[in-house]
Amino acid sequence: MVIFYRRLPKFEYIKPESQNMLFEILSDNKNCSVYAGGTDLIPKLKKRLIKPPDVLIDLKGLNELDYIKIEGGTLKIGALSTIYSVATSKIVIEKFNILSQAAKSIAAFQIQNRGTIVGNICNAVPSADSAPALLVLNAKLNIKKKDGSRKVNIDEFFIGPNKTVLDKDEIVTEVEISEVPSSFKGIYYKLSTRGKMDLATVGVAVLLGSDNGRFSDIRIGLGAVAPTPIRAKRAEELLKGEKINKELINNAARIASDESSPIDDHRASATYRKIMVETLVKRAICRLTEVG
Amino acid sequence: MEEINIGDYSLLGKSIPRIDAYEKVTGEAKYAADIELPGMLWCKILRSPLPHAKILNIDISRAKRLTGVKAVCTAKDFKGFRWGWMPITRDEPPLAEDKVRFYGEGVAAVAAIDEETAEEALELIKVDYEELPGVFDPEEALKEGAPVVHDYRPNNISWEFHMDFGDVEKGFKEADLVREDRFATGRVITGFLEPPAAIALWNSSGITIWAAKQSPYFVYRHLAQCFNLPLNKIRVIQPFVGGGFGGTKNDSVAGDFCSVLFSKMTGRPVKFVYKMEEVFLTCRRRHNAIIYNKMGMKKDGTITAMQSRLIADGGAYTAIGPLTMYLTGCISTLPYKLPNFKHDAYRVFTNNPVGAAMRGHGVTHTRFAAEIQMDMMAEELGLDPMEIRLKNAIEAPYETINKVTIFSCGLKDGLLKLKEHPLWKERKKENKDKETISGVGISGVAYLGGARQRGYQSCAAVLRLCEDGTVEYLTGATDAGQGSDTVLTQIVAEELGLSIDHVDIQRVDTAYTPCDAGSYGSRVTALAGEAAMKAAKDLKRQLAEYAAKEWNVSSEDIVFKNNKVYPKHMPDKAIPFRKLAQIACYSGVGAVIIGRGYSQYGIEPYDFEKGIGNAGTAYSFTSQLTRVEVDKETGFTKCTDMIIAHDCGKPLNPGLVESQNQGASVQGLGQAIYEEFVMDRGRTLNANLADYKMPTAVDAPNIEVIHILTDDPKVPYGAKEASEGAIVSSPPSVISAIHDATGIWFKELPVTPEKIALALREKKKE
Ligand SMILES: Cc1cc2nc3c(=O)[nH]c(=O)nc-3n(C[C@H](O)[C@H](O)[C@H](O)COP(=O)(O)OP(=O)(O)OC[C@H]3O[C@@H](n4cnc5c(N)ncnc54)[C@H](O)[C@@H]3O)c2cc1C
């Protein structure tokens, strides 16, 4: 049967007013879905792409999860912070600019005001725009459940398309990003057919620290070119500590492209995506290092 | 208010704001999906998950038993009814009969008390299919032994046209350069915002249906045939319409027939609203046309002959396809002098969704091929693309080799304006950064206004004078969003010397409004406009007789202006129009004053078999400059500017003419570089608005419209056509701009970033 968008399936809807209540329900062993902005979840339910939950848990009753703050140099983004608030946050723009660039590139204002950064990550599609930026920022995710909590590095969080390390009774409460030296610069390139309101065919984030003409630190994050968002670690290794020069950048870009494993789909061919990884990694590093 | 002097008028030539703007902006305007009636049921359609399969059995028993389900239907309930554009091409049933021919074709339908129940019931219907080998490429479908889509067309040729004028072989011999190329125009859809929707009611008065249609008199006839009722028992009421652009909303959809049938079965009103994905998967699309084009040219750029072989993907049914095929050929002889022309068009059945009309109908395919090929040849011969167009452009009066007659033509005028435009003159300037290259392209095209199909073509208008001097205007024409209600009202008010708010236009209700062919082929202003003008003149003539009596002057000498009436040369005697209306209405026994008019332009016959004569009433001419910036590495293309020199004849409402050009050119831009259905064996992989890339506002360029004024005697006030020219001119000018930037000719639409990037890499290797 061909299924179009349908009315929502039937489920119980609960909007907990405290985290205790939330974790209580989550630990109840029912089939639950956590609902933040719903911009990924609701279309999936309407399209019957996922099994309808018994209980839909709306996080929006937990106002305490809506924050963006700095604590001892560390940036903390609560699970209810919208994409728009992250994109336009003064702290983020000044100290973690690449994340603001990534957030701004998502969809358009309506979705940005509804969807959350944490939702973008938990949905775990390879093309999630905030992921490459969070990867190069070495973000950590604070994860909680009824009687416990853990911290997971973002590069260990994704395990496949739509799959993360989260257990059924856990949620991500916060994204945490340690201070980035103020001399670091970053670029997020999103390649898409349209200028706005489009999904990434390829996403490339590069964060660069340079010192005396050398790459003191370099981190490359890639989106939409592998089963999960990834870091191009081998390319980074090639550059780290080396003198900044064009040839090396070209080689690193080629290696980054080798590290990607895109597929052919209706959005683009694997061939094009691989070439674009090379092109955009090179372009980003050249622009950041001002190498011609 | 923008104003262009097009004659001695009070309202025409002025950008009067849309008369429906307030209702639309405030949400007061009701569309089909907004309408609800007490006791209403919801209709949903079960659609085939296979592109080509025999239907062995349909078991509806479980669905019928579900609480809340009131009726279930299958093809059997329509008793063999099929519809189509011509009697011999009636091949489409409301629901698939013995086999399904495309992925997503309707096979059964349910009416239930709410949407959820109807959707749930669909899951309970069990259909046994036997999958058949499918054919998805029109060239494959023409091969010996290809799967047959319809038994009545064993060779899969749904329709063909052969037009042959002059002697192309001789023309090619006379040429210094002959080129042959293969072009493809892409799989695109109209992109209206409002999906098909209707609410149907069957009772002792017959059928009443509130339907989202741009040409309601099509569904009017289809329902009469399907349910075997006389036309006066079919009442189609037109709500506000959220865009049409041809194809789907000029036709009936499965939901129309099923909801009417369900109302008949249950005695309750029945509603359906298609989902956007349902639109993308199952509604009419533009044909993807493959064109083998051959052109002959002399060293000086003179075109000596053109021969086109067009193979169009017709999909699973015929729909209006024969007319599409006709239009791909009969207008190819415009807008350049063409002494020898041969055209062979094949519309081919495949197991894809149905190809049909869309804005720029037919013409956009062959004109794209011809424009690009002309530019390619100009390049080979070292000629300037502007000069080659100026050299070959026709001038009015002109008769083409297939007897299309042109009484006004602003093509040269437009091209000369573009030639002087800074965008063209300064096009060789430096590129803005090392990654981006820019280019400017040009095109020049023609389109028909007041288009005709083969059957009933006239438009009519009825004006009812109210005793307070206001006027009720009944028309059969539909404003699908293009603004025609405003222009038509302007015409009536202009003739009667009234301000615009004195005239009230009624949306179509087939119980009251006069029959009309429909809002397609840029025919509303030309033909419904003529009817409006004549009805107003008829009303004025009757009123003038009363006035003449009062003043004892000849009725010809009565002037209607500024809501007043006076004898010529005696403006001091003026009385309000309202006063005259009272005098007329209260005279004697009490007169009922009704003005009537119908269109007579463009009714001489034309030869549909051979492609001879005028399929249109008058012809618009559009030339366009487009500037693009192309990222050399990623292929990402931003269109920055479009300059459109548009000869619509006389712009009765310049603002509306401009917005039509803007909309059409951006829709054309979508077709050129963004939009495309990605197909896999009959399945559409990107049937949603995220993945089918219609350009958004941020992708739209700066658009400048230059009005080229001409005076055409064949249409009212000289207004020819203003909504389709620019969708024809847009793709070739965009592709020519991309060539100017990259040096590469792309011949298959859309030219996506991927295609550009890969082609540029190939070129670099060479
Ligand atoms: C029209 C449109 C355009 C879009 N464009 C883009 C785009 O350009 N780029 C892009 O990256 N995305 C895009 N998206 C996807 C989407 O908007 C984003 O991924 C958004 O960030 C999701 O956030 P949300 O709060 O709406 O998540 P939800 O839909 O509420 O949740 C998404 C998933 O995460 C889970 N989840 C949410 N919060 C938590 C939590 N705290 N702990 C554990 N699990 C949680 C949910 O259970 C669900 O599985 C688009 C979506 C739409 C509808």
Side-chain angles (χ1 to χ4, degrees), chain A residues 34 36-41 83 107 111 116 120 129 172 190 197-198:
Chain A
V34 179
T39 60
D40 278 315
L41 184 64
I83 298 164
I111 297 287
T116 59
N120 192 232
D129 279 305
V172 174
K190 171 176 180 170
M197 208 65 206
D198 211 347

Side-chain angles (χ1 to χ4, degrees), chain B residues 643-698:
Chain B
I643 319 294
I644 304 167
H646 178 59
D647 157 27
C648 77
K650 294 276 184 343
L652 304 188
N653 185 319
L656 285 175
V657 170
E658 283 155 32
S659 62
Q660 282 300 312
N661 274 282
Q662 289 158 357
S665 59
V666 174
Q667 203 168 26
L669 176 66
Q671 195 171 316
I673 64 174
Y674 292 101
E675 297 173 38
E676 176 183 39
F677 283 122
V678 185
M679 305 293 296
D680 176 27
R681 302 184 55 76
R683 267 191 73 176
T684 305
L685 302 182
N686 57 338
N688 60 70
L689 283 163
D691 288 321
Y692 178 84
K693 312 280 183 195
M694 280 191 249
T696 71
V698 297

Side-chain angles (χ1 to χ4, degrees), chain B residues 88-89 91 148-159 318 349:
Chain B
I88 44 167
T89 64
D91 54 21
V148 175
V149 181
H150 285 275
D151 291 340
Y152 85 105
R153 297 284 197 234
N155 57 4
N156 285 327
I157 297 178
S158 144
W159 195 263
T318 303
F349 282 132

Side-chain angles (χ1 to χ4, degrees), chain B residues 424-440:
Chain B
W424 184 253
K425 282 173 77 173
E426 290 153 29
R427 71 190 186 283
K428 289 290 172 228
K429 67 175 190 269
E430 289 297 293
N431 293 320
K432 81 170 188 201
D433 58 48
K434 64 182 194 323
E435 283 140 13
T436 324
I437 37 180
S438 69
V440 176

